[in-house]
Amino acid sequence: MDTERLAVRKTYKLFIAGAFPRSESGRSYEVRDAKGNFLANASRASRKDVRDAVAAARKAFGGWSGRTPYNRGQIHYRVAEMMEGRRGQFVDELRADGSGKAAAETEVNAAIDRWVWYAGWADKIATVTGSANPVAGPFFNFSTPEPTGVVGIVAPDSALLGLVSVVAPAVVTGNTCVVVAARPLAAITLAEVLATSDLPGGVVNILTGDRAELAPWLASHMDVNAIDLAGAPDELAASCAEAAAENLKRVLHPAAATDWTADPGTARLTAFLETKTVWHPVGI
Amino acid sequence: METLTDAASLGAFLHGLPGVDQVGADERAARLATRSIKTTAKARAIDLAISMVDLTTLEGADTRGKVRALCAKAVHPDPGDPSVPKVAAVCVYSDLVAEAVAQLKGTGVGVASVATAFPSGRAPLEAKLADTRRAVTDGATEIDMVIDRGAFLAGDYQKVYDEIAAVKAACEQAHLKVILETGELMTYDNVRRAGWLAMLAGADFIKTSTGKVAPAATLPVTLIMLEAVRDFRARTGRQVGVKPAGGIRTTKDAIKYLVLVNETAGPDWLHADHFRLGASSLVNDLLMQRRKLATGVYAGPDYFTLD
């Protein structure tokens, strides 16, 4: 019996509103490994895909930010469970991208651990950044963190750990995001993980393609509330920050190259939070 | 054109109309919907679409305040940009006509009122006529009536015809738009018949839907109605307008309708006097696209009115 099977190759598509559409433009590009061998075809997103993704993120924001932090945490744990199930696939994709076997396994472990770590913060961040404020009057005055809104993320080159380290802190606090991924393979597999883990459609939208083409549209979009320029080279980051000023987006642009394996701290969680302070009369 | 004086000749005429090729109509509408309208043509299409909108609020929860807000939006759709054209009309329930008329006096924006037991049309003729007369007395310049779909589907065309004619008489100077409610008419053949019936009875406009029944306006149904008004003008010389209403929410949708009008009925219909879009949320999308063309960056809904 002939045991040779027909090759079933995966086309890496975009992730918008919980679905996997091709680019609106119909464009695609070839992803190659470090030696120049063909790996896969990936969608090359256009500005209209950015627009559609932002619309999906905006639509998802009300529901996602309205969930209890506990529920968001549970969904994040579920994402980590799904990542665990795809461990082998992630390792293969990182190796195809040029990592050694041990390095790829270490990165996948670190990425899953990072996701779990951020999942735990879902229902704790408010107790760290919120406060009950002493005021000179008959008021109970307290401050609580609220999600900023739709966050545009230009993901760093670190294919999985870097990607997880920018996406998880943005969405765990109740934001929704549009991510321009650097490396399509691991990013779209992460999208498949997100799509199968109770995360509502549109909370995370992942686009692949040319960062220099897509980032300016994200930065200038009037319905995006914040932008993370972790993966933007300095020149691109400067022009994006300038465009972001038009509607006073929050801009997160790490000054130096980030070591994604280091302890991240809470900086990325608090970068996309707004403080709401309430004055509540007492003693009346 | 021959006179249709009795029920038998009316029925014979309507059933003598050529049948609609359903697959062909769907295909033709889908084909025209792929037409690409960009840059300066798109800018003109957006302004034209804004000027054709019947800005509509038809909810049980409507208040005088909401109507006032809607009227303000009708005159200045984008308060920050005076180059945005006014919409064609504001469309409200008949008891709120007086409020809208007071707000829109001297602006050139029409006041349309739904009447005749909208949206079901299930009321005695006297009640429908009283509803219409009251709206006209209060100053409505356009009346949107619904046909009796029950009678139409039962084949009682004469009853439908007589009701439309009676409401038309009650309208006096006001324009009469006749809502066919195509979502309840079952077949495209019925859409064509209902369109002709309404035009024969004196309609100034034929309108697809109330917006309360799904499916509301669709491209193929509008295509059939546009063919009907084109053929009606060829036979009688009278030019009747078309108004798709319900479910038109995006600029892309609106432009598809404009292409359909141009390619089916012709450029004579590309004016608010003969083509309207019944919508509410559409206007904000048109304004956002308009600002995108002007500024080069995508606009956000935070910068436009909530309605």
Side-chain angles (χ1 to χ4, degrees):
Chain A
M1 197 181 122
D2 189 7
T3 54
E4 194 176 315
R5 291 184 58 238
L6 188 70
V8 181
R9 291 211 179 87
K10 180 160 124 189
T11 299
Y12 287 77
K13 295 192 277 186
L14 308 176
F15 183 50
I16 299 174
F20 291 89
R22 289 184 169 79
S23 168
E24 161 281 336
S25 63
R27 300 178 306 176
S28 64
Y29 66 106
E30 292 183 351
V31 185
R32 294 183 176 278
D33 67 13
K35 293 184 189 124
N37 299 317
F38 175 80
L39 288 175
N41 284 308
S43 293
R44 187 165 162 198
S46 69
R47 65 179 171 89
K48 293 191 178 178
D49 295 311
V50 171
R51 175 198 64 188
D52 293 348
V54 171
R58 173 59 60 197
K59 198 172 169 202
F61 178 70
W64 180 241
S65 60
R67 301 250 181 156
T68 61
Y70 175 75
N71 182 247
R72 284 200 298 268
Q74 290 298 303
I75 289 173
H76 273 63
Y77 284 121
R78 178 78 179 153
V79 171
E81 290 170 18
M82 295 288 118
M83 287 177 80
E84 198 70 51
R86 295 242 191 180
R87 169 189 294 278
Q89 189 180 349
F90 279 122
V91 170
D92 290 346
E93 282 166 347
L94 293 182
R95 291 188 65 189
D97 253 359
S99 293
K101 184 164 187 286
E105 284 178 351
T106 308
E107 181 172 349
V108 173
N109 287 343
I112 298 172
D113 293 350
R114 181 67 44 87
W115 199 284
V116 171
W117 188 80
Y118 276 122
W121 274 109
D123 53 1
K124 299 173 187 70
I125 189 72
T127 56
V128 176
T129 62
S131 57
N133 314 314
V135 290
F139 297 97
F140 176 41
N141 182 296
F142 56 98
S143 300
T144 50
E146 297 274 315
T148 300
V150 174
V151 180
I153 298 176
V154 184
D157 288 326
S158 170
L160 185 61
L161 181 56
L163 179 66
V164 163
S165 300
V166 293
V167 173
V171 295
V172 77
T173 54
N175 297 294
T176 57
C177 68
V178 176
V179 184
V180 180
R183 308 292 305 167
L185 267 52
I188 296 304
T189 302
L190 180 67
E192 289 164 9
V193 164
L194 298 173
T196 50
S197 55
D198 304 335
L199 193 75
V203 171
V204 175
N205 303 277
I206 300 181
L207 307 176
T208 58
D210 182 1
R211 278 185 290 196
E213 179 192 350
L214 301 176
W217 290 104
L218 208 45
S220 65
H221 199 304
M222 298 295 276
D223 202 25
V224 173
N225 304 108
I227 188 155
D228 180 347
L229 297 168
D234 282 344
E235 204 170 312
L236 178 63
S239 68
C240 284
E242 202 177 309
E246 185 65 30
N247 69 334
L248 307 178
K249 285 182 190 67
R250 294 214 172 270
V251 177
L252 180 62
H253 182 219
T258 312
D259 175 13
W260 296 108
T261 58
D263 176 359
T266 56
R268 285 192 162 270
L269 287 164
T270 54
F272 305 120
L273 288 174
E274 310 297 324
T275 300
K276 179 174 82 179
T277 297
V278 179
W279 296 66
H280 192 76
V282 290
I284 301 171
Chain B
M1 189 172 163
E2 67 273 28
T3 47
L4 304 163
T5 48
D6 58 284
S9 63
L10 189 61
F13 173 78
L14 293 176
H15 282 272
L17 289 168
V20 179
D21 169 4
Q22 184 182 344
V23 175
D26 288 344
E27 180 60 29
R28 172 86 178 140
R31 183 68 61 86
L32 288 173
T34 62
R35 194 75 55 93
S36 182
I37 307 291
K38 299 290 181 199
T39 62
T40 49
K42 184 175 180 183
R44 286 188 59 184
I46 288 172
D47 280 4
L48 183 61
I50 293 172
S51 74
M52 287 174 165
V53 166
D54 276 4
L55 199 57
T56 303
T57 182
L58 296 170
E59 303 295 334
D62 284 349
T63 60
R64 292 158 66 93
K66 183 166 182 197
V67 170
R68 281 199 296 275
L70 202 70
C71 292
K73 181 161 185 162
V75 181
H76 301 292
D78 183 351
D81 185 351
S83 69
V84 178
K86 292 186 280 247
V87 306
V90 164
C91 183
V92 294
Y93 269 115
S94 49
D95 62 325
L96 293 165
V97 165
E99 186 68 38
V101 168
Q103 294 297 318
L104 292 172
K105 202 172 180 184
T107 62
V109 176
V111 176
S113 169
V114 295
T116 72
F118 179 95
S120 69
R122 299 248 70 87
L125 182 59
E126 302 85 72
K128 293 180 181 181
L129 293 176
D131 196 10
T132 307
R133 286 195 195 100
R134 177 62 199 273
V136 173
T137 312
D138 282 350
T141 54
E142 301 165 12
I143 296 295
D144 289 25
M145 73 167 287
V146 288
I147 63 166
D148 183 343
R149 280 89 72 189
F152 179 85
L153 291 171
D156 192 353
Y157 301 132
Q158 191 66 44
K159 177 163 190 277
V160 180
Y161 180 99
D162 291 345
E163 276 198 7
I164 298 171
V167 174
K168 171 71 182 166
C171 281
E172 299 168 20
Q173 299 302 311
H175 273 58
L176 177 64
K177 304 196 200 104
V178 177
I179 302 171
L180 310 181
E181 194 63 295
T182 54
E184 292 182 346
L185 294 185
M186 308 298 179
T187 66
Y188 288 172
D189 286 343
N190 277 343
V191 173
R192 179 171 282 176
R193 286 182 198 126
W196 275 87
L197 179 59
M199 290 187 286
L200 291 169
D204 298 302
F205 258 86
I206 51 176
K207 174 174 167 183
T208 59
S209 336
T210 58
K212 306 290 184 193
V213 169
T218 65
L219 285 169
V221 153
T222 310
L223 172 77
I224 290 159
M225 288 165 60
L226 285 163
E227 287 173 349
V229 295
R230 176 196 65 195
D231 297 346
F232 186 79
R233 187 177 75 166
R235 278 180 84 153
T236 67
R238 191 163 77 87
Q239 188 171 344
V240 176
V242 175
K243 175 179 172 185
I248 307 166
R249 297 200 176 83
T250 65
T251 301
K252 209 173 213 175
D253 288 344
I255 291 177
K256 285 175 188 173
Y257 279 100
L258 295 183
V259 170
L260 204 61
V261 172
N262 192 54
E263 298 299 320
T264 309
D268 288 355
W269 268 266
L270 278 178
H271 187 275
D273 289 346
H274 292 106
F275 192 75
R276 295 282 179 85
L277 296 159
S280 39
S281 57
L282 169 67
V283 174
N284 274 9
D285 196 67
L286 287 165
L287 294 174
M288 284 204 286
Q289 291 283 332
R290 200 177 187 279
R291 197 172 287 182
K292 159 72 177 67
L293 287 176
T295 63
V297 304
Y298 284 116
D302 288 356
Y303 302 89
F304 297 93
T305 55
L306 284 171
D307 35 35

